[in-house]
Amino acid sequence: MCGIAAGRTAAHAPCEAGPPSLPPRARSSYRGRRHRPRAHRPAAGRETLRGSEAWARWKAGENVAHDEPDSWRRNVTEQVAQGKTFGRVRIVDRPFTEGQEFLLTRAPSNKATGDEVRYLWRADAVRLGLPDFDFWLIDSRTLLRFVFDEQHSTMGVIVSEDPAEVLAAYQARDAAWQSCAPRPA
């Protein structure tokens, strides 16, 4: 499983040599299920577990980098033990938003599960022509594109198995992965 958390930005200018962008609306149907992934919330200042106990502890100055695994992290650990891979690229701003700082602090607990979190500056994402929406790729054939409301809460996902859409997402992921770093410098 891999993903890019791009956050809300203005439409990216097309990049001559970059990957093709995904269509603004996937052709597959929107599945209205509430899907609230917790560990891979978008890194661009959206709602980032602000109501969680970890957020409150972090705001109070506690170290939350190595908290006990939650259900997401336990699942990742189990899946990685079965030979599956998890990785994501988080698009981050200069300076970091408060939500990005929180996610950076918590990243070691993701890494401990086998979930590889890498980072790309937003300016580099724009230069690469990456899509300006969050998505996950699952099992080399399924694209999940997240849908958010005005308060940046996850409404659900658009699920697509269209080969062209999945390929475009993999090309965007590969372009991001080649340009990102394990920790923003």
Side-chain angles (χ1 to χ4, degrees):
M1 178 183 270
C2 59
I4 294 182
R8 284 182 200 229
T9 61
H12 295 299
C15 178
E16 298 281 327
S21 59
L22 295 169
R25 279 204 153 282
R27 280 170 269 182
S28 61
S29 64
Y30 167 70
R31 307 236 174 123
R33 292 176 286 184
R34 300 238 3 125
H35 183 77
R36 294 196 171 273
R38 300 196 60 81
H40 63 281
R41 287 293 199 146
R46 293 189 178 153
E47 182 62 36
T48 53
L49 302 173
R50 292 177 195 271
S52 73
E53 176 261 337
W55 176 270
R57 290 184 13 254
W58 177 73
K59 290 293 287 180
E62 289 184 38
N63 183 350
V64 295
H66 300 284
D67 282 354
E68 289 296 314
D70 58 12
S71 61
W72 169 261
R73 289 174 181 87
R74 285 189 300 273
N75 177 56
V76 171
T77 300
E78 292 169 14
Q79 300 299 318
V80 169
Q82 295 174 25
K84 297 178 183 178
T85 59
F86 284 74
R88 71 186 84 197
V89 175
R90 284 191 173 135
I91 310 299
V92 293
D93 297 297
R94 276 183 216 229
F96 298 129
T97 66
E98 185 178 44
Q100 291 168 354
E101 288 179 17
F102 175 69
L103 292 172
L104 280 163
T105 301
R106 297 207 14 116
S109 61
N110 287 37
K111 185 175 173 86
T113 68
D115 183 1
E116 188 168 359
V117 181
R118 298 179 64 98
Y119 300 89
L120 184 66
W121 293 112
R122 187 167 309 281
D124 293 330
V126 171
R127 180 183 52 78
L128 291 169
L130 298 180
D132 66 346
F133 53 83
D134 298 7
F135 66 88
W136 282 89
L137 293 160
I138 300 174
D139 296 333
S140 300
R141 64 180 176 273
T142 304
L143 168 66
L144 302 178
R145 180 176 169 183
F146 288 83
V147 178
F148 297 95
D149 65 15
E150 293 76 30
Q151 289 74 40
H152 312 294
S153 296
T154 307
M155 300 290 294
V157 295
I158 297 170
V159 179
S160 176
E161 292 181 344
D162 179 283
E165 292 174 9
V166 172
L167 175 61
Y170 268 100
Q171 290 172 330
R173 186 277 320 260
D174 290 348
W177 199 259
Q178 291 173 17
S179 300
C180 61
R183 182 124 178 120

